[in-house]
Amino acid sequence: MKKVKVGIIGAGRIGKLHAENLVRIPQVEIKAISDIFTDKVKPWAEGLGIPKVTRDFEEILSDPEIEAVFVCSSTNSHVPVITKAAQAGKHIFCEKPINFDLEQTQQALEAVQKYDVKLQIGFNRRFDHNFKRVREMVEENKIGDVHIIKITSRDPEAPPSDYIKVSGGIFIDMSIHDFDIARFLSGSDVEEVYVQGAVLVDPVFAEHEDIDTAIITLKFKNGAIGVIDNSRKAVYGYDQRVEVFGSKGCVTVKNDFPNTAELTTDDGVYTDKPKYFFLERYQEAYIEETKAFIESVAGDKEVPVNGNDGLQAELIAHAAKKSFDEKRPVKISEFIKDTVSR
Amino acid sequence: MKKVKVGIIGAGRIGKLHAENLVRIPQVEIKAISDIFTDKVKPWAEGLGIPKVTRDFEEILSDPEIEAVFVCSSTNSHVPVITKAAQAGKHIFCEKPINFDLEQTQQALEAVQKYDVKLQIGFNRRFDHNFKRVREMVEENKIGDVHIIKITSRDPEAPPSDYIKVSGGIFIDMSIHDFDIARFLSGSDVEEVYVQGAVLVDPVFAEHEDIDTAIITLKFKNGAIGVIDNSRKAVYGYDQRVEVFGSKGCVTVKNDFPNTAELTTDDGVYTDKPKYFFLERYQEAYIEETKAFIESVAGDKEVPVNGNDGLQAELIAHAAKKSFDEKRPVKISEFIKDTVSR
Amino acid sequence: MKKVKVGIIGAGRIGKLHAENLVRIPQVEIKAISDIFTDKVKPWAEGLGIPKVTRDFEEILSDPEIEAVFVCSSTNSHVPVITKAAQAGKHIFCEKPINFDLEQTQQALEAVQKYDVKLQIGFNRRFDHNFKRVREMVEENKIGDVHIIKITSRDPEAPPSDYIKVSGGIFIDMSIHDFDIARFLSGSDVEEVYVQGAVLVDPVFAEHEDIDTAIITLKFKNGAIGVIDNSRKAVYGYDQRVEVFGSKGCVTVKNDFPNTAELTTDDGVYTDKPKYFFLERYQEAYIEETKAFIESVAGDKEVPVNGNDGLQAELIAHAAKKSFDEKRPVKISEFIKDTVSR
Amino acid sequence: MKKVKVGIIGAGRIGKLHAENLVRIPQVEIKAISDIFTDKVKPWAEGLGIPKVTRDFEEILSDPEIEAVFVCSSTNSHVPVITKAAQAGKHIFCEKPINFDLEQTQQALEAVQKYDVKLQIGFNRRFDHNFKRVREMVEENKIGDVHIIKITSRDPEAPPSDYIKVSGGIFIDMSIHDFDIARFLSGSDVEEVYVQGAVLVDPVFAEHEDIDTAIITLKFKNGAIGVIDNSRKAVYGYDQRVEVFGSKGCVTVKNDFPNTAELTTDDGVYTDKPKYFFLERYQEAYIEETKAFIESVAGDKEVPVNGNDGLQAELIAHAAKKSFDEKRPVKISEFIKDTVSR
């Protein structure tokens, strides 16, 4: 078995998470990781057995042995890094979103196409045991034609004000995962979006011209309709449920819980609250998405979530923003000139 | 204990249902029932011990012993019957909607106000053990400030084409119950409505310029936002669930099932499907709403669901229709000139 | 439709319950009720439209129009009442147990057989929507051959000391229902019993040479094995669950709850506790058992729970008592001389 | 951080499982593994980075750097290996049971005590997220005094005939885990056992004088009573549930499932079956038990499951066997002469 040699660009929380998952995959060898804070990163990298830590990501791209890179740096660096990595012939795993600007996203996708490398976007939820099972049931025609898709997606706590400021807003920062899941479950692109939003959790969102609570209606190209409800703060933990209703039935998934213990007393029935946040809930999904990427690279197969999936989710996010700003339903076609797909 | 003497106007399915529930309330005496098909009704009425069956509802109104009437005739007769009953000083229980036309509804409410009688609208779901418990939890501040309300309301099968034609459309015929529950659970009136609708169940709905599937977004006056999803056909039975999410938590109710049996085999886990339709699911709620009305009459107390509740739900239904027709969010204020409340 | 005319013997809690259910069955006419406290009973009987209240149950037996009687008097009167009712040619519905003494029970069954009347025993749980569904699944061979039966049966609170004294002990007073359900679900008689019991709830049980907590192991004639766990006090309400495990799968039933509301907060997930006691839980089952008896009488069909079912449950109760007293497994055959079945 | 250097004795399924878990614990270094099939084991050991594979386990014991050993060889080798390891001053993790013979088990415990080494028994279920949560609730007095403990423990399929022959029988091979969980949850030793058993799954069990289905009643020293039901074959997967009922309430745990997807169709509600077997269900528990052992060794703390826990479970198993053979309740004291505890 030939090992896939990889480099990781960016050693923040998500870069470290991917590295720790990758070292457990026998088929993978992490050759290098780049980060501007090399001093902080070195002891951790040594513990994992990563031989090289560099400040300059281009050193990773110039290593001819490295086949694939994980782009885990800040969003504004994604497009230049993807472009250079593609030029260097590296396959790319990139966190979402590709970019806040649609034109730049398309430029990155063009580079990927031109240099014929693979690009997988970090929509980890597609690999979740629950959502994957829903998709299977839809594909196996268990619910017939899809009529309604419902997604509940609520975070356990709002990010700090500093983060909100640079997040790009709720739609491209948070709802983008739900837009991807909506496309994944329906098997269809989205045609139109309408948003009813509000600032109910914390007035700080209003200061950044952002909202914290939203109900987003979707119209799909295949005729189905859908709704996403988002909140930046569910005090009880991470709320991640979906429902797909169709002509032959309905499939739902509930949250995951840390245990199944149920205590019944004179006061009623009590169980623990759901798993706290994405690290707990999507622990396995993060492992699965990197495995799938490595298998695509090693076996020269299609990646399961490609650049077009990244672009489509960003298109919906932009339409959602416009819908909220202009208080009207907005068609995706208002944003599309000439999209690239790969 | 003084008995409350009542008359019933209309002996269709719902008139009969109310009669059969009323005979079990010791405090009630049904003196008469009116229907145009007296021959059909008589044997059934005798079995229940109702002494008089008449073709002419005015005979009921002119009986001085009768204190209260149940208006269970067709929707187009509601306004004249309410008006005459109010003039005759009878308290009134009327099925929903009061009328398809907002002006006529308001005329009926003016008569009720003028003659100072009670009017209760047949929003039976407020008396359901599940929805009532959710409302209690909201009132007890268990979930804090209300942020999001979600209502799933799906019928097990579409009505026949003849009924669709005269139903007034999905919003005033079916969603109207959900509009009332939305107001009940939030404790707030609705400010704005947006509808994303489709014909996915049966093309016959399109023939009657109606739809069979809808996602309805609501903005409440208290700042909360909400969403209702409706379908005319859930093959698995009556789907009646709600969720209220707030600053301190979330309360949900699931469907009711005929039993709790769970069969686990090599194929998976199996349970029976939910209760079939409103007669099974809301059996107790129908009894509770008539008891509440009788208590209001006997004790001269406020009715729990009054004429304004009927009007508000109709206003939302009209706004929903306009939103669907004009493909835009519609404010309730576009419809209000001078509403009457009682 | 010919009406079945019935008399009720005993107007305590259970006699009143049956009467109130019977008045709602159109096919039934209650002609008389007997009780030693006629003054207390009269106003209630009038309210229900029962024309005659008597101190002497023999007046009921001598009424030639009365076809069937409900024996709801104290346990020690059951055998003489059944015997006289049988002699008078009345069909009999009798509460459990028939008697504390096996020989007397058999004498009653002999009278029933000799005078060829029907006798139904008040094992209401067989008519419960949950247990009935389990039995259906067993009969439909959904779980294959039955290997293990588990019954959890716990009361919400212990009866008063006065009652414990005359109850006959936990096995014949409380577990007897579970013995019947065990036979019902397995479709088999019981061969052997072993009891591990304790006084854990209240020392008053020890004063009456009784226990309040028990684990009862059963060996069935068809080879299956089973276990019942009983407690006189579950602080959270009536705990009534069963499980049948077999070669092809397992079916379980959970408790019934007053609603499906689920509140999730920072503290965890909360739901209301189960229905409180038998009046709430078995409300429908009591109605169904009387309907079934009336149908058997009217249609001259077999009753669904006959005298032998009463006797078998009593045999198991006696074996359980002996097992607890002698600290050893006890065979039912130790008690059987010549049982009568009808 | 000083590393704990360990050796593994036996590279069968469970030895490999522990090794694969241990390599992920940064504090551990596996120095050697012994097995009679060195050729088969070598490639796997290299992949994991284990430097030495030997046929002779004494080479592991003679390595002065190795602090602790995992005894994963066949049951009949446990006592000599434990004895020699104790003499060599190694801390010991040993799979259950220590031995089929109580006297030999006690000899091993005496060696452990004499040479003052730690001994942890592989009762992995104590580390399961569900059972651990139940124990916490019992310890936090959420359910008050413990009255009843119920354990359901069923395997998805019977082992092969060759295994049954040398397994020591259902009680010491399978139920032993449940005996330990019963002690763990109740916080009490067991006083008396009664077994009702049968051969219902496969007649091959009878050929080996074994059974495949059992209901085991337990009496605890603290007054509580309990019941375990075992089956060698639940076609739907691994069935691992417990319930503890007490004066203040009841706590139950359900099985774990691979996902939360619930499909509702015209046929009913369907979910996938439980996780298949111990490798899926107790995956995390195996990791947790090794972590706990390593922490005990590194920090010189008490092990969470010690030799006495192993002995007590074996005592119950022997009493269960005798109860089944002699068809009577058997006291644990019939087996105890002078037990050693450490």
Side-chain angles (χ1 to χ4, degrees), chain B residues 228-239:
Chain B
I228 296 162
D229 72 274
N230 286 139
S231 170
R232 283 289 197 178
K233 184 168 185 177
V235 294
Y236 49 83
Y238 206 33
D239 199 343

Side-chain angles (χ1 to χ4, degrees), chain A residues 317-331:
Chain A
H318 281 81
K321 180 77 171 66
K322 197 171 191 180
S323 171
F324 180 70
D325 288 344
E326 302 184 1
K327 310 287 176 214
R328 65 170 181 92
V330 170
K331 288 203 186 311

Side-chain angles (χ1 to χ4, degrees), chain D residues 7 32 50 149 202-203 217 246 288 310 314 331 338:
Chain D
I50 302 175
I149 289 176
D202 193 332
T217 305
E288 293 304 316
E314 289 175 27
K331 289 205 187 308
D338 38 19

Side-chain angles (χ1 to χ4, degrees), chain A residues 91-239:
Chain A
H91 299 301
I92 303 158
F93 181 103
C94 181
E95 279 305 315
K96 60 88 219 171
I98 301 172
N99 198 265
F100 296 144
D101 180 88
L102 282 172
E103 262 183 66
Q104 287 207 40
T105 295
Q106 296 205 37
Q107 283 167 22
L109 299 193
E110 279 161 21
V112 164
Q113 192 173 42
K114 183 174 171 191
Y115 295 101
D116 197 21
V117 295
K118 295 177 198 302
L119 170 63
Q120 181 171 328
I121 306 302
F123 285 132
N124 56 298
R125 295 184 194 173
R126 289 194 181 206
F127 301 87
D128 175 63
H129 53 292
N130 290 343
F131 297 158
K132 214 167 50 182
R133 190 71 181 98
V134 173
R135 177 60 192 156
E136 275 172 28
M137 285 177 167
V138 172
E139 276 181 329
E140 291 163 1
N141 201 28
K142 299 281 192 200
I143 63 154
D145 298 332
V146 174
H147 290 183
I148 296 173
I149 288 175
K150 291 170 65 182
I151 298 172
T152 291
S153 177
R154 301 168 189 156
D155 285 352
E157 50 184 342
S161 179
D162 282 359
Y163 179 88
I164 297 167
K165 194 162 51 178
V166 300
S167 70
I170 191 171
F171 303 114
I172 198 122
D173 181 56
M174 179 180 170
S175 321
I176 194 167
H177 276 296
D178 308 309
F179 298 146
D180 183 62
I181 285 296
R183 291 182 63 247
F184 176 60
L185 295 182
S186 67
S188 168
D189 280 336
V190 166
E191 190 174 300
E192 195 183 85
V193 183
Y194 174 75
V195 172
Q196 183 62 264
V199 176
L200 298 170
V201 170
D202 193 331
V204 72
F205 285 94
E207 289 169 25
H208 298 300
E209 298 190 330
D210 200 356
I211 57 174
D212 53 36
T213 307
I215 289 175
I216 306 168
T217 306
L218 303 172
K219 187 177 176 183
F220 295 90
K221 283 194 178 152
N222 68 2
I225 54 181
V227 64
I228 296 162
D229 72 277
N230 286 139
S231 171
R232 282 288 197 178
K233 186 170 183 176
V235 295
Y236 48 82
Y238 205 34
D239 200 341

Side-chain angles (χ1 to χ4, degrees), chain A residues 284-302:
Chain A
E284 281 302 311
Y286 281 114
I287 295 170
E288 294 302 316
E289 70 170 356
T290 54
K291 278 188 184 165
F293 175 65
I294 296 300
E295 279 168 26
S296 295
V297 169
D300 196 15
K301 292 185 297 188
E302 290 285 305

Side-chain angles (χ1 to χ4, degrees), chain A residues 150 152 154 229 241 243, chain B residues 150 152 154 229 241 243:
Chain A
K150 291 170 65 182
T152 291
R154 301 168 189 156
D229 72 277
R241 292 171 285 155
E243 174 168 334
Chain B
K150 289 169 65 181
T152 291
R154 301 169 189 157
D229 72 274
R241 291 170 287 155
E243 173 168 334

